[in-house]
Amino acid sequence: MTPTELAPAFFLAVAAILVFCKGVAWLLGKAGQPAVVSEMLAGVLLGPSLLGLLLPGVEHRLFPAPLLPVLYVVGQVGLVLFMFQAGYAFTGHRITRVAGTAAAVSVAGVTAPLVLGVLLVVLTDGLAPVRKAGTPLGVTAAFVGVALAITAFPMLARIITERGLAGTRHGSLALASGALDDMAAWIMLAVVLAAASGEPGPVIVTGGGAAVFALALWLGGRRAGTALMAGDRLGERGRLLGTVALLFLVAWYTDVIGLYAVFGAFAAGVVMPHTAHADKVVETLTPIASVVFLPLFFTFSGLRTEFGLLGDPSVLLFAVACVVLAVAGKFGACWAAARLRGEPGAVALRIGALMNARGLMQLIALNVGLEAGIVGPSLFTVLVLVALVTTIMTTPLLTWIDRRSTVSASLPERDNHHSPVAP
């Protein structure tokens, strides 16, 4: 397709994606699901798993093969903006009051699913065709473990805000634990990707480039952010332009060294100082990223998800095992860690439910793994299923815990009210 043919195809595809995502969000919103869950599901439905299965001609017309790289690039713009906001939100939550418990929950929530994921891949190797040909077993096992260890911190923060949990004990603990969890998971993913090359050259480039990047952020990141956001010299548009230019430069550098754009954007958000001007820039960029660009990323991911691959009984069993271990490792470990730290049962259950959601962050990691050539279609589909199931179950699980706590709190009162008076 020529550029003049790609442009109208792109506009038609974007219009279809945005309208469809809005419709699914409206339907699932009635069930209390946040918009990001609806967009994840909508992206899968627009791919070969449903639209391509029922109306293959329509899918090919809407999303011709030459259009996919364009969707990928535009989706990356949304991810860079979104991850910048996620990094900025990461440093906006104080964790000093709950630091000890948050650290314990985070360590448990990373370690347990990581170990379970690694063991699952090692023990089932050769039984289910999920390891991509040419990818070492250790790399696949480590990638699955990291994918199961991820928590969707931005979505977690959104659920906590929407449900009015920001000032609660479990809300504060989940935010702090999720932030620490995601930081650890992204670092581990970078290590896995660097090791996946199997050659010293790329590892040296990634490791050395990451060290230079970290040093630059440490020495000048906050200063650059302060210079960009301080005063009114640049004006609102100047600050917005400067922030986007800085983000794209950081994304370019981290992509070139093999660390990927999402890492750079997240780090840039972490070092950005919290000021009124910075808040304004983030508030301006976030709707653009979430409303326009992110649905394109979800659809691009959905176009590479083929649930038909689960028709293979061995792949289906592996997928079920992944979901079970993901829930047990994250929900169970976080609950247990919170209880061991002395948190009440209801608080520990809510923390486990919130930490269990993988959401967008796991989809980002999966696409990074796919682009790096260490994830094949079957494993990609399996882990997308894990992301969907663990994310969709979060809101209903929280509602069930709330009802259970309400009933438990009212039981003594009812028992006292109906108990017979002693003679």
Side-chain angles (χ1 to χ4, degrees):
M1 297 178 73
T2 65
T4 54
E5 292 172 327
L6 272 175
F10 173 76
F11 294 138
L12 177 63
V14 171
I17 291 168
L18 297 182
V19 171
F20 187 72
C21 285
K22 187 65 176 178
V24 175
W26 178 77
L27 286 174
L28 292 188
K30 294 181 176 297
Q33 293 288 355
V36 67
V37 174
S38 307
E39 290 165 357
M40 285 174 59
L41 184 59
V44 172
L45 296 178
L46 285 172
S49 297
L50 182 66
L51 182 61
L53 185 65
L54 300 178
L55 301 169
V58 174
E59 186 208 2
H60 293 150
R61 182 66 183 270
L62 270 180
F63 308 112
L67 182 64
L68 299 187
V70 181
L71 289 178
Y72 172 78
V73 172
V74 179
Q76 288 295 302
V77 173
L79 285 182
V80 166
L81 299 179
F82 180 83
M83 291 301 288
F84 170 71
Q85 183 268 337
Y88 187 76
F90 171 83
T91 53
H93 300 287
R94 298 184 180 276
I95 62 173
T96 52
R97 290 189 303 109
V98 293
T101 302
V105 171
S106 180
V107 169
V110 169
T111 305
L114 176 66
V115 171
L116 290 174
V118 169
L119 288 176
L120 175 64
V121 174
V122 171
L123 295 176
T124 60
D125 186 47
L127 300 178
V130 294
R131 179 157 64 98
K132 186 177 180 181
T135 302
L137 175 60
V139 171
T140 300
F143 183 85
V144 171
V146 171
L148 298 189
I150 287 175
T151 288
F153 171 71
M155 198 195 77
L156 183 152
R158 184 170 179 175
I159 291 175
I160 287 173
T161 301
E162 289 180 353
R163 294 177 72 95
L165 306 176
T168 63
R169 176 75 178 175
H170 58 274
S172 299
L173 278 169
L175 280 173
S177 303
L180 295 172
D181 191 320
D182 261 5
M183 183 67 81
W186 284 120
I187 293 172
M188 290 190 297
L189 182 59
V191 172
V192 172
L193 293 172
S197 63
E199 300 177 1
V203 175
I204 292 172
V205 170
T206 301
V212 171
F213 181 59
L215 185 62
L217 286 179
W218 178 265
L219 296 177
R222 189 161 291 273
R223 292 179 183 177
T226 300
L228 188 62
M229 297 300 171
D232 296 317
R233 179 172 53 87
L234 291 177
E236 186 174 326
R237 292 188 177 184
R239 284 188 293 271
L240 187 62
L241 176 62
T243 300
V244 173
L246 178 64
L247 276 177
F248 285 4
L249 282 173
V250 168
W252 163 79
Y253 176 77
T254 49
D255 251 343
V256 166
I257 66 172
L259 200 58
Y260 295 90
V262 291
F263 294 99
F266 184 83
V270 168
V271 301
M272 183 63 67
H274 282 255
T275 67
H277 290 320
D279 289 344
K280 180 65 175 177
V281 168
V282 172
E283 289 171 3
T284 302
L285 293 176
T286 299
I288 298 173
S290 60
V291 175
V292 178
F293 291 119
L294 277 184
L296 305 187
F297 169 76
F298 287 126
T299 301
F300 181 76
S301 300
L303 291 172
R304 301 198 282 187
T305 303
E306 302 178 51
F307 281 137
L309 296 173
L310 299 178
D312 183 331
S314 62
V315 176
L316 180 59
L317 285 174
F318 183 85
V320 172
C322 255
V323 171
V324 172
L325 292 182
V327 175
K330 181 69 77 169
F331 180 92
C334 292
W335 167 83
R339 290 293 286 155
L340 288 174
R341 290 286 301 183
E343 297 297 330
V347 170
L349 283 173
R350 291 185 177 98
I351 291 172
L354 288 166
M355 292 288 289
N356 187 52
R358 270 73 174 184
L360 172 62
M361 305 303 272
Q362 185 169 353
L363 286 187
I364 295 173
L366 296 183
N367 279 274
V368 168
L370 198 62
E371 293 303 316
I374 61 176
V375 174
S378 295
L379 184 57
F380 185 86
T381 298
V382 166
L383 294 178
V384 167
L385 180 65
V386 172
L388 283 170
V389 171
T390 58
T391 304
I392 290 173
M393 68 185 289
T394 301
T395 299
L397 189 55
L398 284 173
T399 301
W400 175 79
I401 294 170
D402 289 342
R403 289 175 180 170
R404 179 176 177 271
S405 299
T406 301
V407 171
S408 298
S410 62
L411 279 176
E413 182 179 343
R414 287 206 306 267
D415 290 344
N416 291 336
H417 179 73
H418 293 291
S419 61
V421 179

